[in-house]
Amino acid sequence: MSLKTQQSKTLSGENVENAEFTLRPVAKWVRTAIIASVATTSAFSLHAQEANVTEEDQADVEVIDVVGTRKTIQDQIAIKRESTTVVDGLSSEDIGELPALSIGEALESITGAASHRENGGATEITIRGLGPFLSATHINGREATNGSGDRSVNFSQFPSELVKKVAIYKTQDASMIEGGVAGVISLETVQPLDYGKQRIQGEVKTNYNPDQANVDNSLQGDLGFRGTVSYVDQFEFDNGQALGISFGMQRQDISQPEAEYRSSSPTGSSLWACLNDPTNTNEGFYRSSAGDCEDQVSGSSNQGYDTAIDPETGEAVSAGSPYAWTGSSRSYRQNETSDERDALFLALQFQPSESWDINFDAQVSDRTQQESRHDLIFLQKRAIPGLTGPTLVTNDVGGILHWEGQDRIESSGEQFSREENYRGYGLNIEHYATDALTVKLDLAYSKTSREELQISNRARTADRQSFSWDMGEYIPHFTVSDFDVTDISNYTDSLRTRIDRENTRDNEIKSARLDFEYILDSEVFTSVQAGLRTSELSFIQYGGSQGNGSRNEFTLDTANADALELLQSCQKDFPESDFLDAVSDGDLITNVDSDGNVIGGGSSWATYDNVCFSQAVVASQNGEFGYPDVEYENSGTIDVTEKTNSAYVMASYDTEMFNKFIRGNFGVRIVDTEVTSVGFRNSFDVVTDELGVISLVSGDSLERIEGGGDYTEVLPSFNLVVDYSDDILIRGGIYRGMSRADPSDLGYSRTFQTDDDLAPTSLADLLVGVNGSGNPDTQPLMSWNYDVAFEWYPNEDSIFAFGLYYKQFQGGFQQRTVLENFVIDGQEFALPVTNSVTTDEESDIFGLEASIAYRWDNGLGIKIGYNYADTDFEFEDSLYGDTFITDVDGNTTQLTAGIVDPASVPGFSEHVFSTQVYYQIGDLDTAIIYKYRSEYFQPYTSNGTRLRYVDEVGVWEARMSYKVNEHVRVKLEAINLFSAPKSQDYYVQGNLGEVNDYGPRLFAGVSLKY
């Protein structure tokens, strides 16, 4: 906006960047302006005050050029101090100056924020220990899409060098887009006219990962590259018009080394609680004949510990039986990796006159991740009589510490790639209709597309081998008997390749909003805001022959000379030295002879080129190598459309009461949402035989089916800030929040259950129910949220802030049977279908958080953030937890009596801690950062109803930069400095499921600024 308009608007009570900031008395304005000028806090520069200060007054103010880490912390303090809501954030005066290698790492430094790590970097962000599904993410005030099927955002998709500000709003007001119970994460890019100066910047970083130097990587070299260039400029015309342009682009080409130990996943068909009872020889580890421990010698298969309720006892069928957790396999995985990303951010700002401000912005990101995986797999469910049971050693939760038996060993491999493309566009038109009335129109579009391609290969031993394993400090170590895992000729049986295209998804959001703000001439109320918003979210996951994708499979069935020749023609040396060295207690595999003498050992095995292997197996079967197609009209397709209309009204106040200045706002937002979900199922015909018996016969075509749901919610909010003194604030906030179900859970798959045994003569007798997955009528999880905080600001470098919060949730997850209407052969039927629903169950979260920053005169400073939370929310595992079902009459019956305690809110950590110690003197700027997160529950990706725990972890980072001159700065940055691994437990803490070792990641670069 023009200077004249800025002056008018700011004096009327509007902060240029944050619409929540309201008018304060003139003395406060002047004081704030001087503080903002000294701190160079451009994100909250108050142009009206600068205009009112005379040139003589300005000459008396000593301007201190504060830069680097100190400047960043001053900005964080200013953002928190001047906001009406409870908010923490980071901003930078220049593009490319956010102190982090990714948006995820930047957000982690904010009090109460923590990340889930994938591929060694921060991805999904939790707020106050609460999972990402309870948060919302906005880019320039608009919803952002993602390719995961949920509502979280993978922040590694966006380069931090092209973002100007990141903030976390922990309380909300009525003007904010609904959707964040835990909070709202906001990313902002630069507005070039408001930026106010020309800037040309370039930065080149070299990436070196020490663990990568040990890998002969076919996808990426030892050194990675990250290059960024940006340009900001303004153009003023003789007719008073002004145009600003901001343009930035980045190319990243790096590796992401990762070494893994893995157990079978908790999907229900791979990981079982097998009975460990010496008196039971029909099943478990003491079965009378060799076989899988979850199968009975005489009786059912795939059973293990039976949690079903015995009607005679009211307890689980297997109640009282000891058990141990065992997966179908345990394995090591070596990875060759590559991560390529191209990003482009663009902003145009045009002011045709003093009363119009037009902004267009665009964000484009194309990312391709690739991995060449090499696995050594020990199959491990088979129990050998007299061996496996008597030698089994477990801990107190049933996690295995020592195992002995016989089973096949595999040398397997995968070639994986994921391509993700993000497009975000927005047009914002702001019109100052009068000195008091402002009208804003915002149009936005966001789309993310993701596709995964994978080759999965298998080569195994022809015979079962004898082996054992023992749990080390971090991972198991195996002992084999007279078997050389490095000899490719040992894996000539059952060669197989699978070629998959899966998780092909499109997530799109279109939105429009119209906002009004009217400045009031009042001693109490400063403005009234109101607005309307409409949006349409669409999510499509394309189906195929394997549900969420398609597969081509080829097998070379028997061990023969052709198999050995194929393996040898594709064989490659093991790609990595010192594999898993950071988490192992020595050799991963030890080879002993029949007398127990060690005859070999190491941490490698026979490997091969995955593409070569796959192509050779396909050719041996006279097949054609290629990735299969997915399709829209498929029974595995999920197609969800979510239409939302909302309206709000909010009043802001700024006055004096009891000799204290107070400011804030109160309002209400009304949200109406309608969900439509489309699915496909096989067509059918109603057939009547000569006896009048009716049956359903499946046809050859697919028919389109549709379901839906809706809800309307009222979301009031109230925010209060009391200026208790010049340097002390007391802050409070109350709001009602909502978090919607993930789009992938709103699908609509339905097939009929029929009773053909009773010779039905009518459809009413034939149809007994519906098998279904996905529930488009899932209601949101609602909460009342209360915050109070005390904040002391001794100076622009210091803050001592302490807050308490309480959240009362209304909603849980439970299986419930409801009636749904279906039209069959022209008749309408109400049939029961059982699905997951949101219940009315209430639970609470209590928490406290603290932010402390202080700087000494010698250049040493510290910043500390801590969050503690406690909750009684319970999430039951669907296989080994207590599960219930509610029938159509509202009667609830317990189905299973579980053996694992319920988890908490997905993503919930009791403790989140971050600290930063920095030393900045002259042109040298250094910082050491430590980030800690206690253990948390992360639902298993392919089955969101199974428990998976990520263990506590503390990660160190370091940064250093030196300003050579006003144009050149050199930088050194390190992530995961001391190689902290990520460890995960399945079903229960203490049952190790996976360990990922990433190693440190180092970046060195130089930036140029003109």
Side-chain angles (χ1 to χ4, degrees):
M1 65 180 70
S2 66
L3 180 61
K4 180 178 179 180
T5 306
Q6 290 173 11
Q7 180 177 346
S8 172
K9 294 302 292 183
T10 307
L11 288 174
S12 300
E14 177 182 287
N15 178 283
V16 172
E17 181 178 45
N18 189 339
E20 299 166 338
F21 192 78
T22 53
L23 180 67
R24 308 176 68 184
V26 174
K28 290 276 186 176
W29 277 120
V30 175
R31 176 177 64 85
T32 304
I34 294 174
I35 293 174
S37 175
V38 172
T40 11
T41 313
S42 61
F44 290 90
S45 59
L46 304 176
H47 300 285
Q49 290 79 350
E50 293 174 0
N52 289 335
V53 177
T54 67
E55 294 181 2
E56 290 79 10
D57 292 334
Q58 290 177 348
D60 293 334
V61 177
E62 179 185 1
V63 179
I64 301 174
D65 186 19
V66 182
V67 296
T69 302
R70 182 186 179 190
K71 172 65 167 61
T72 299
I73 292 178
Q74 286 186 354
D75 285 350
Q76 293 184 63
I77 293 172
I79 289 172
K80 189 174 187 69
R81 183 172 190 169
E82 301 303 337
S83 176
T84 303
T85 57
V86 178
V87 62
D88 290 278
L90 291 169
S91 68
S92 60
E93 181 179 352
D94 285 324
I95 300 176
E97 293 300 319
L98 279 184
L101 287 166
S102 75
I103 295 299
E105 269 88 27
L107 288 165
E108 274 187 310
S109 67
I110 295 175
T111 299
S115 76
H116 178 69
R117 290 193 298 163
E118 293 290 350
N119 302 112
T123 54
E124 299 175 349
I125 296 296
T126 67
I127 302 173
R128 289 176 163 178
L130 304 180
F133 89 105
L134 292 174
S135 305
T137 299
H138 301 161
I139 299 179
N140 291 333
R142 309 171 187 118
E143 288 182 282
T145 54
N146 78 92
S148 302
D150 54 26
R151 297 182 191 268
S152 61
V153 170
N154 185 348
F155 290 100
S156 59
Q157 188 78 7
F158 306 108
S160 59
E161 290 88 344
L162 300 179
V163 174
K164 188 177 184 295
K165 176 183 173 183
V166 297
I168 298 178
Y169 293 88
K170 300 171 183 177
T171 62
Q172 298 171 34
D173 63 40
S175 69
M176 299 178 68
I177 301 172
E178 68 284 344
V181 166
V184 174
I185 299 171
S186 173
L187 310 183
E188 295 181 15
T189 57
V190 70
Q191 290 181 299
L193 286 180
D194 294 347
Y195 186 72
K197 58 186 174 182
Q198 184 188 71
R199 177 70 76 203
I200 301 174
Q201 293 182 184
E203 184 172 270
V204 176
K205 291 179 181 177
T206 298
N207 167 230
Y208 174 75
N209 304 322
D211 284 16
Q212 172 68 18
N214 300 327
V215 179
D216 182 13
N217 193 340
S218 61
L219 303 175
Q220 175 65 43
D222 288 345
L223 294 179
F225 167 81
R226 183 167 173 155
T228 311
V229 61
S230 62
Y231 168 68
V232 184
D233 209 344
Q234 303 82 31
F235 305 92
E236 295 183 5
F237 306 103
D238 294 338
N239 58 5
Q241 296 182 349
L243 174 68
I245 181 171
S246 171
F247 173 82
M249 59 187 304
Q250 183 183 92
R251 168 70 175 177
Q252 174 178 276
D253 193 352
I254 64 173
S255 66
Q256 293 183 326
E258 180 178 15
E260 304 175 61
Y261 158 75
R262 303 165 63 86
S263 176
S264 300
S265 63
T267 59
S269 59
S270 300
L271 179 60
W272 301 92
C274 288
L275 299 188
N276 189 25
D277 182 0
T279 65
N280 188 343
T281 59
N282 187 49
E283 59 182 314
F285 294 103
Y286 288 89
R287 51 180 291 148
S288 58
S289 62
D292 290 346
C293 64
E294 78 275 14
D295 295 341
Q296 296 178 346
V297 177
S298 176
S300 64
S301 299
N302 291 336
Q303 180 61 67
Y305 186 103
D306 192 349
T307 60
I309 298 294
D310 185 340
E312 294 184 2
T313 65
E315 297 181 335
V317 172
S318 298
S321 299
Y323 57 87
W325 302 100
T326 185
S328 59
S329 67
R330 296 180 186 263
S331 62
Y332 302 118
R333 169 169 288 177
Q334 189 279 330
N335 291 289
E336 304 168 53
T337 65
S338 172
D339 186 352
E340 299 178 0
R341 182 184 64 199
D342 294 299
L344 183 149
F345 281 25
L346 172 68
L348 298 173
Q349 185 175 10
F350 178 54
Q351 293 176 351
S353 69
E354 293 181 348
S355 61
W356 291 90
D357 191 4
I358 302 172
N359 286 270
F360 171 80
D361 61 90
Q363 305 85 40
V364 175
S365 178
D366 296 324
R367 186 182 185 194
T368 301
Q369 296 171 271
Q370 298 183 77
E371 292 185 17
S372 182
R373 304 163 174 170
H374 309 285
D375 298 344
L376 180 65
I377 300 176
F378 296 85
L379 304 183
Q380 192 224 283
K381 290 192 301 178
R382 190 173 178 81
I384 307 300
L387 176 63
T388 305
T391 61
L392 196 70
V393 179
T394 66
N395 59 21
D396 56 359
V397 296
I400 298 178
L401 305 177
H402 175 84
W403 183 92
E404 295 185 24
Q406 297 173 350
D407 217 320
R408 290 184 170 86
I409 302 174
E410 297 181 357
S411 174
S412 297
E414 295 179 356
Q415 200 78 11
F416 171 85
S417 69
R418 171 188 292 164
E419 182 174 350
E420 188 157 334
N421 309 107
Y422 177 86
R423 303 289 185 269
Y425 308 102
L427 176 65
N428 184 276
I429 302 173
E430 190 169 1
H431 178 49
Y432 315 107
T434 68
D435 288 342
L437 177 63
T438 302
V439 182
K440 299 178 184 179
L441 173 66
D442 190 272
L443 306 175
Y445 175 82
S446 175
K447 182 177 181 178
T448 299
S449 298
R450 174 186 287 187
E451 183 173 70
E452 296 177 354
L453 303 176
Q454 181 166 301
I455 297 170
S456 302
N457 300 319
R458 181 190 68 189
R460 60 168 46 163
T461 60
D463 301 317
R464 294 186 173 91
Q465 305 295 317
S466 296
F467 61 88
S468 64
W469 62 264
D470 293 274
M471 184 64 68
E473 183 178 1
Y474 293 103
I475 60 174
H477 295 71
F478 285 78
T479 299
V480 295
S481 297
D482 286 314
F483 183 83
D484 184 3
V485 296
T486 66
D487 186 351
I488 197 75
S489 65
N490 285 328
Y491 306 98
T492 56
D493 189 54
S494 301
L495 272 62
R496 182 189 68 194
T497 186
R498 291 172 171 171
I499 307 171
D500 295 317
R501 185 190 304 269
E502 57 188 2
N503 294 328
T504 302
R505 302 173 178 139
D506 289 328
N507 183 200
E508 184 178 68
I509 297 176
K510 304 173 185 176
S511 66
R513 65 180 296 173
L514 183 65
D515 296 88
F516 304 87
E517 181 178 15
Y518 189 79
I519 305 300
L520 300 174
D521 184 13
S522 167
E523 294 182 357
V524 177
F525 297 103
T526 59
S527 67
V528 174
Q529 293 175 251
L532 304 170
R533 181 178 183 272
T534 183
S535 69
E536 180 178 291
L537 177 149
S538 64
F539 172 79
I540 299 178
Q541 178 170 289
Y542 295 89
S545 59
Q546 295 291 315
N548 67 334
S550 292
R551 168 176 293 171
N552 292 333
E553 181 172 325
F554 302 88
T555 302
L556 195 63
D557 293 325
T558 58
N560 53 42
D562 290 340
L564 178 58
E565 181 179 352
L566 186 155
L567 287 166
Q568 290 174 337
S569 66
C570 296
Q571 186 175 9
K572 60 184 291 184
D573 293 336
F574 188 76
E576 183 170 356
S577 60
D578 300 327
F579 173 72
L580 281 175
D581 182 64
V583 294
S584 64
D585 302 324
D587 289 343
L588 298 179
I589 304 105
T590 300
N591 190 9
V592 300
D593 61 19
S594 57
D595 297 323
N597 301 311
V598 176
I599 57 176
S603 298
S604 63
W605 57 91
T607 55
Y608 45 80
D609 181 281
N610 290 317
V611 177
C612 173
F613 179 99
S614 182
Q615 291 177 337
V617 171
V618 172
S620 72
Q621 304 302 301
N622 297 317
E624 181 176 346
F625 180 85
Y627 292 97
D629 293 328
V630 293
E631 54 194 1
Y632 175 71
E633 293 190 5
N634 186 279
S635 59
T637 291
I638 299 174
D639 182 354
V640 175
T641 300
E642 179 184 83
K643 295 182 179 180
T644 300
N645 295 302
S646 60
Y648 79 93
V649 61
M650 182 177 74
S652 297
Y653 57 91
D654 195 334
T655 188
E656 185 176 353
M657 185 179 295
F658 304 112
N659 296 320
K660 306 295 181 186
F661 295 112
I662 66 171
R663 57 188 167 93
N665 57 60
F666 59 90
V668 63
R669 188 178 188 89
I670 301 175
V671 182
D672 180 76
T673 300
E674 180 180 346
V675 176
T676 302
S677 186
V678 174
F680 297 91
R681 68 177 176 217
N682 286 331
S683 62
F684 57 86
D685 296 316
V686 179
V687 177
T688 305
D689 65 15
E690 62 276 6
L691 299 177
V693 175
I694 292 179
S695 61
L696 291 182
V697 178
S698 295
D700 296 330
S701 61
L702 290 175
E703 63 179 15
R704 185 180 187 271
I705 57 176
E706 185 177 299
D710 59 80
Y711 49 87
T712 300
E713 300 292 348
V714 179
L715 309 176
S717 64
F718 172 78
N719 290 285
L720 169 70
V721 179
V722 178
D723 288 304
Y724 186 80
S725 66
D726 286 345
D727 54 4
I728 293 177
L729 297 181
I730 298 174
R731 191 186 302 271
I734 302 172
Y735 72 96
R736 188 172 189 240
M738 61 183 291
S739 287
R740 296 180 171 94
D742 293 337
S744 59
D745 294 334
L746 300 176
Y748 190 69
S749 174
R750 300 291 187 268
T751 57
F752 295 117
Q753 297 175 340
T754 59
D755 187 351
D756 299 295
D757 295 333
L758 297 178
T761 57
S762 69
L763 283 174
D765 294 334
L766 175 66
L767 300 171
V768 295
V770 177
N771 290 320
S773 63
N775 183 8
D777 195 31
T778 303
Q779 300 297 295
L781 189 151
M782 307 299 299
S783 72
W784 278 100
N785 308 268
Y786 308 87
D787 276 76
V788 62
F790 170 87
E791 301 166 8
W792 177 36
Y793 300 89
N795 54 56
E796 66 267 27
D797 291 300
S798 304
I799 181 176
F800 296 87
F802 303 91
L804 299 173
Y805 60 89
Y806 167 62
K807 296 177 182 291
Q808 184 180 63
F809 288 94
Q810 185 175 24
F813 305 99
Q814 182 180 310
Q815 295 292 305
R816 177 174 294 172
T817 301
V818 297
L819 293 177
E820 292 185 0
N821 293 320
F822 300 89
V823 176
I824 305 169
D825 200 29
Q827 303 179 54
E828 184 171 313
F829 294 88
L831 298 175
V833 57
T834 302
N835 228 321
S836 178
V837 299
T838 305
T839 69
D840 295 330
E841 182 179 351
E842 292 187 352
S843 55
D844 303 305
I845 290 180
F846 299 87
L848 63 88
E849 64 179 12
S851 297
I852 299 173
Y854 188 79
R855 180 182 179 273
W856 290 268
D857 292 337
N858 62 2
L860 185 67
I862 189 170
K863 178 181 177 295
I864 298 172
Y866 172 70
N867 183 86
Y868 168 79
D870 184 39
T871 181
D872 59 359
F873 187 96
E874 293 187 348
F875 189 108
E876 294 281 0
D877 183 83
S878 62
L879 186 62
Y880 288 111
D882 293 339
T883 62
F884 301 83
I885 188 170
T886 301
D887 63 21
V888 293
D889 298 322
N891 302 311
T892 300
T893 304
Q894 184 170 1
L895 297 178
T896 64
I899 55 176
V900 301
D901 292 332
S904 183
V905 180
F908 177 85
S909 287
E910 189 174 15
H911 303 281
V912 174
F913 173 79
S914 66
T915 186
Q916 174 178 329
V917 178
Y918 69 94
Y919 178 72
Q920 185 175 352
I921 187 166
D923 296 322
L924 179 66
D925 186 3
T926 62
I928 296 291
I929 305 100
Y930 177 73
K931 304 171 182 178
Y932 170 82
R933 182 181 186 182
S934 61
E935 64 274 2
Y936 58 97
F937 158 50
Q938 182 84 358
Y940 194 76
T941 304
S942 62
N943 191 323
T945 64
R946 303 287 161 76
L947 302 190
R948 170 179 60 166
Y949 293 93
V950 182
D951 296 329
E952 63 176 353
V953 65
V955 178
W956 291 87
E957 298 178 6
R959 295 194 303 268
M960 181 177 69
S961 68
Y962 180 76
K963 183 180 178 182
V964 178
N965 55 47
E966 62 176 328
H967 301 298
V968 180
R969 181 182 293 271
V970 293
K971 300 179 180 180
L972 294 174
E973 298 167 280
I975 296 178
N976 197 20
L977 198 56
F978 299 110
S979 191
K982 182 178 75 173
S983 178
Q984 303 176 73
D985 299 326
Y986 293 159
Y987 286 127
V988 61
Q989 290 176 275
N991 177 40
L992 183 65
E994 185 171 332
V995 175
N996 309 89
D997 180 31
Y998 306 114
R1001 307 197 175 181
L1002 311 176
F1003 289 81
V1006 58
S1007 63
L1008 305 175
K1009 181 188 302 183
Y1010 292 93

